[in-house]
Amino acid sequence: MVNAADFIGRDVISIKDYTREEIDFILKFSSEMEPLVKTGSDMLKGKIMATLFFEPSTRTRLSFETAMYKLGGSVIGFSEPEISSVKKGESLADTIRVVEKYADIIVLRHPAEGAARFAAEYAKVPVINAGSGAEEHPTQAILDLYTILKEKKRIDGLTIALMGDLRYGRTAHSLAYALSLYNVRLFLVSPELLRMRREVLEDIKGRVEVSEHTNIEEVLPEVDVLYVTRIQKERFPDLSEYARVKGSYKIDLSMLRKAKSDLIILHPLPRVDEISVEVDSTPFAKYFQQVENGLVTRMALLSLILGAVKE
Ligand code: NCD
C-alpha cells in the first residue's frame, strides 16, 4: 500500500520512476487538496523552493511558484539564466551545489536531455524535472492525467489520441509512458517526420494497444480524449525540416462534427496554430482547465515530497 511517507525526499525526474499505485495516490491526494487552492495553507511554512529555468516557461514556473505560495512557502530562483552566474560560465553541477544550500527543493527546466537526472545526482535536496529538452516533463503528465480523471471520472477503458509533435514533444513522451500504466487504447497521430520517439513506442507497446496514424480524421470518431501538441520548432536541428511540417495539422470546428459528443480536447499549451480559437468556446475544450489542475497537482507534489502530509 502506498502512503504519503513514500514520497518524502523523492525526485521527480521521469514519470517512469513512479508506479501506477503511486501516481493514483498523487491524483487522489490532489483532489483532496482542491479546497486549499482557495483557502491557502501554511503546510510549507519555512520551506524554500528554487526554480531554475534555463528555457522559457509561463505555466510551469508560475504554477510551481503559485503552489508554493499557496502552501505558505517561499520561492527563489531565476528564469533568465543570462543574468545569473551561468552567464559567467558556471556549470550546472556547481549551480546545483550552490542552490541546494539555500533551497529545500529544486525545480529545474533545462534544454539538455538528462539535465534533471544529472542535477539530482548532485543535489542533496529533491529535484523536480520541469522539462528536460525533448525528453520528459513528468509533472505535466500528472496534471494531464488529473484532468482526464476529473473530466471523465476514469482513465481505464478510454481511447486516447496523442496528436502533433510526438518526436520532440516532451509532454507527449511523459504522458505516453504514464498512460501505458492504465488500460487504455492509444492512437499516436502525427506527420511522418514527427512520429513518436522510437524508444517511447518500444517501451509502451507491450503494455497498451497502440497504433500510429498520420491523419486524425481516420480515428477521431472513436476518441474520448484528444491531446494536441504544438510543433516544437526550437528543437529542430534544421529549420528547413521544420518548414516541411509547419502548419500541417489543425483541429477546427468542422472536423469536430465527427467527434463523440463527450470528447475532451487537451493541450499542454502554449498553442500556436494547431487548435483553431473557435474551438475554445465549445464544451470539448479543456485546455484552460488543465492550467488550473496544474496548480493543485503541484501543490500535492510539493507537500508530499517536502513531508508536510500527515497520514
Ligand atoms: C510544454 C513544454 O514546455 O514542454 N509547455 C508546458 O510546460 N505546459 C509544451 C510546449 O512547450 O509545447
Side-chain angles (χ1 to χ4, degrees), residues 164-168 173 188-198 201 212-214:
D165 186 345
L166 307 183
R167 180 177 180 185
Y168 298 117
H173 301 154
L188 305 176
V189 187
S190 69
E192 193 64 36
L193 201 63
L194 301 179
R195 282 168 69 185
M196 179 57 90
R197 233 169 129 130
R198 295 296 96 177
L201 188 62
E212 295 184 276
H213 307 267
T214 50

Side-chain angles (χ1 to χ4, degrees), residues 59-60 109 137 140 170-171 230 232 268-270:
R59 278 150 295 273
T60 305
R109 171 170 286 189
H137 191 349
Q140 177 73 41
R170 56 194 173 197
T171 68
R230 78 180 165 95
Q232 309 280 303
L269 303 177

Side-chain angles (χ1 to χ4, degrees), residues 50 79 90 161 170 205 213 234 251 307:
S79 53
E90 185 157 65
R170 56 194 173 197
K205 77 180 182 201
H213 307 267
E234 69 278 22
I251 298 297

Side-chain angles (χ1 to χ4, degrees), residues 233-267:
K233 181 181 178 187
E234 69 278 22
R235 308 265 180 238
F236 281 68
D238 176 352
L239 278 182
S240 69
E241 221 181 49
Y242 169 70
R244 282 170 52 204
V245 285
K246 183 177 185 288
S248 57
Y249 56 90
K250 183 171 197 161
I251 298 297
D252 62 23
L253 278 186
S254 66
M255 219 177 239
L256 291 170
R257 280 201 287 267
K258 297 189 203 82
K260 287 189 178 177
S261 60
D262 61 351
L263 167 77
I264 60 167
I265 302 177
L266 307 184
H267 191 307

Side-chain angles (χ1 to χ4, degrees), residues 43-203:
M43 283 169 88
L44 294 182
K45 191 159 182 277
K47 299 287 186 190
I48 296 179
M49 173 184 77
T51 47
L52 310 185
F53 276 61
F54 291 82
E55 272 193 344
S57 169
T58 301
R59 278 150 295 273
T60 305
R61 185 173 62 84
L62 294 182
S63 71
F64 267 111
E65 295 187 355
T66 307
M68 198 63 187
Y69 287 126
K70 291 269 185 193
L71 296 172
S74 314
V75 178
I76 58 170
F78 56 75
S79 53
E80 291 166 86
E82 38 315 323
I83 58 164
S84 76
S85 285
V86 170
K87 178 76 176 171
K88 301 181 194 165
E90 185 157 65
S91 67
L92 179 61
D94 282 1
T95 303
I96 295 296
R97 279 186 288 209
V98 169
V99 172
E100 69 164 14
K101 302 286 189 292
Y102 308 136
D104 301 289
I105 188 163
I106 295 173
V107 180
L108 176 75
R109 171 170 286 189
H110 198 281
E113 295 191 9
R117 182 80 64 197
F118 175 84
E121 279 163 16
Y122 276 92
K124 290 185 199 74
V125 299
V127 173
I128 298 184
N129 177 9
S132 48
E135 186 185 37
E136 273 215 59
H137 191 349
T139 66
Q140 177 73 41
I142 291 172
L143 81 89
D144 295 336
L145 292 180
Y146 186 73
T147 307
I148 295 172
L149 192 58
K150 201 166 160 181
E151 298 295 331
K152 292 289 191 187
K153 310 292 174 234
R154 64 188 173 124
I155 299 173
D156 286 319
L158 295 176
T159 296
I160 299 173
L162 305 185
M163 173 184 161
D165 186 345
L166 307 183
R167 180 177 180 185
Y168 298 117
R170 56 194 173 197
T171 68
H173 301 154
S174 290
L175 185 57
Y177 286 133
L179 287 171
S180 74
L181 303 175
Y182 294 83
N183 178 20
V184 296
R185 178 162 175 214
L186 273 187
F187 293 131
L188 305 176
V189 187
S190 69
E192 193 64 36
L193 201 63
L194 301 179
R195 282 168 69 185
M196 179 57 90
R197 233 169 129 130
R198 295 296 96 177
E199 72 190 65
V200 180
L201 188 62
E202 286 307 315
D203 187 278

Side-chain angles (χ1 to χ4, degrees), residues 199-223:
E199 72 190 65
V200 180
L201 188 62
E202 286 307 315
D203 187 278
I204 65 172
K205 77 180 182 201
R207 286 192 297 276
V208 275
E209 194 187 334
V210 51
S211 53
E212 295 184 276
H213 307 267
T214 50
N215 183 354
I216 185 65
E217 290 181 275
E218 271 172 35
V219 292
L220 190 60
E222 293 175 66
V223 171

